[in-house]
Amino acid sequence: LALIVDTEKKAADLIKFYNSDDKKINIIPLKPNIKKIERKDQSNFDNLDKLLKTKTEYFFYPAQYWSHKNHFYILLALKTLQEKYNKKINFVFTGHKKNNFKYIIKKTKEFNLDQQIFFFEYLKDEEISLLYQNCKALVMPSLIGYSSLPLYEAFYFEKPIFYSKNLLDKSLQNLVNEIDLDNPDDLVFQISNFENNLSTFEKKIKLAKNYFENNLSDEKIKNKYLSLLNKLKYLTNIYE
């Protein structure tokens, strides 16, 4: 009776690869559920104390440790920043220890990045909220994902975003700084010039905030599902 996808690009893929009926496809975006919190309102954040109490500056990548999440791309960029430019940039990784975790740990040690990367497992929403609020930017070099919850979470927390080039749905591409996954030096250049491009980031942050409010508010998502359910109710009423 109906198919649900979260982007125009996925709808096009369904039609192209599965010969789906476009009239059955409903585009309803993903809806992040993480809200801003005040640290003083929370009693126990032992996992994050070492990081937050020292006011360490860091970039953030919340993703399971799967190979397609491409943490290795970030490691290569950090290695170059350290060896060629004597810059030590900090990152926070967080997610379940999936199949690529041991390899990422191995390469982190091999590249001498132990002091620059904070590894966390799966965290509570409140902890993720704090990490977003205190990070410099979201960096997401994933090999798949026309959209993602971290992308929309960064919209909500009004953070700059680095995202895989030519991957996102077209409606989202102008809201991020795209990074070339075939060239780690592209991330090296963009992170090195991060402070010099704050005005550009501010413009994109405003656009992303407007996008969130116009497309991802509770009311907008609720209305989309209500519309779909009403359509399904009608369709199921035409037969016994």
Side-chain angles (χ1 to χ4, degrees):
L1 289 178
L3 296 161
I4 301 174
V5 295
D6 61 310
T7 64
E8 295 276 358
K9 208 169 181 180
K10 280 186 184 174
D13 280 353
L14 276 177
I15 295 168
K16 178 179 179 181
F17 296 112
Y18 292 93
N19 198 30
S20 297
D21 182 353
D22 62 344
K23 294 177 182 176
K24 291 185 177 182
I25 299 174
N26 301 268
I27 301 172
I28 304 179
L30 300 168
K31 179 69 174 75
N33 195 39
I34 295 178
K35 305 296 183 184
K36 292 180 181 177
I37 63 165
E38 295 294 333
R39 182 171 169 79
K40 64 183 179 182
D41 295 333
Q42 305 297 321
S43 58
N44 186 7
F45 285 108
D46 292 342
N47 285 331
L48 308 182
D49 276 347
K50 179 182 176 182
L51 177 67
L52 298 180
K53 283 184 176 178
T54 58
K55 298 190 182 301
T56 302
E57 292 189 334
Y58 62 89
F59 292 85
F60 189 30
Y61 187 24
Q64 319 286 32
Y65 298 103
W66 283 306
S67 55
H68 73 265
K69 291 301 184 181
N70 201 15
H71 294 79
F72 185 69
Y73 175 83
I74 294 174
L75 299 185
L76 286 175
L78 294 182
K79 182 175 182 286
T80 299
L81 280 164
Q82 180 175 264
E83 293 178 353
K84 290 188 176 181
Y85 303 100
N86 197 30
K87 286 188 176 182
K88 293 190 175 183
I89 305 296
N90 300 311
F91 261 83
V92 168
F93 294 160
T94 179
H96 280 308
K97 293 181 179 179
K98 298 297 183 178
N99 66 309
N100 214 40
F101 180 74
K102 290 183 179 179
Y103 178 72
I104 295 303
I105 292 292
K106 175 185 174 183
K107 287 299 178 181
T108 298
K109 293 179 180 178
E110 183 181 316
F111 293 167
N112 195 29
L113 300 172
D114 306 66
Q115 302 303 310
Q116 295 169 236
I117 301 178
F118 295 82
F119 287 95
F120 295 101
E121 293 189 51
Y122 202 74
L123 298 176
K124 298 176 183 177
D125 284 354
E126 293 85 358
E127 294 170 313
I128 294 292
S129 176
L130 284 174
L131 288 173
Y132 269 116
Q133 289 176 68
N134 289 280
C135 75
K136 298 183 74 171
L138 173 75
V139 180
M140 196 152 187
S142 178
L143 299 175
I144 61 174
Y146 296 158
S147 73
S148 67
L149 284 173
L151 174 75
Y152 294 146
E153 288 163 357
F155 286 2
Y156 173 77
F157 287 103
E158 300 180 50
K159 292 294 179 176
I161 300 164
F162 298 91
Y163 210 99
S164 310
K165 187 177 182 180
N166 297 327
L167 179 60
L168 287 173
D169 200 69
K170 286 185 178 180
S171 63
L172 301 168
Q173 290 178 6
N174 68 321
L175 308 178
V176 306
N177 270 41
E178 292 187 306
I179 48 178
D180 183 357
L181 299 190
D182 293 328
N183 180 18
D185 284 344
D186 185 40
L187 182 59
V188 169
F189 175 79
Q190 294 203 48
I191 287 182
S192 294
N193 289 279
F194 179 79
E195 303 296 340
N196 297 328
N197 291 326
L198 292 180
S199 60
T200 300
F201 287 123
E202 287 172 2
K203 293 177 183 177
K204 293 187 176 185
I205 287 170
K206 289 180 180 178
L207 290 173
K209 183 179 180 180
N210 288 335
Y211 182 93
F212 189 97
E213 292 173 347
N214 292 329
N215 296 278
L216 303 171
S217 68
D218 290 342
E219 192 68 20
K220 292 282 186 180
I221 299 297
K222 182 183 75 173
N223 287 338
K224 284 182 177 290
Y225 275 106
L226 285 173
S227 176
L228 173 59
L229 291 171
N230 286 331
K231 182 169 72 173
L232 293 177
K233 183 180 179 182
Y234 170 76
L235 290 173
T236 56
N237 281 339
I238 67 176
Y239 60 86
E240 185 175 358

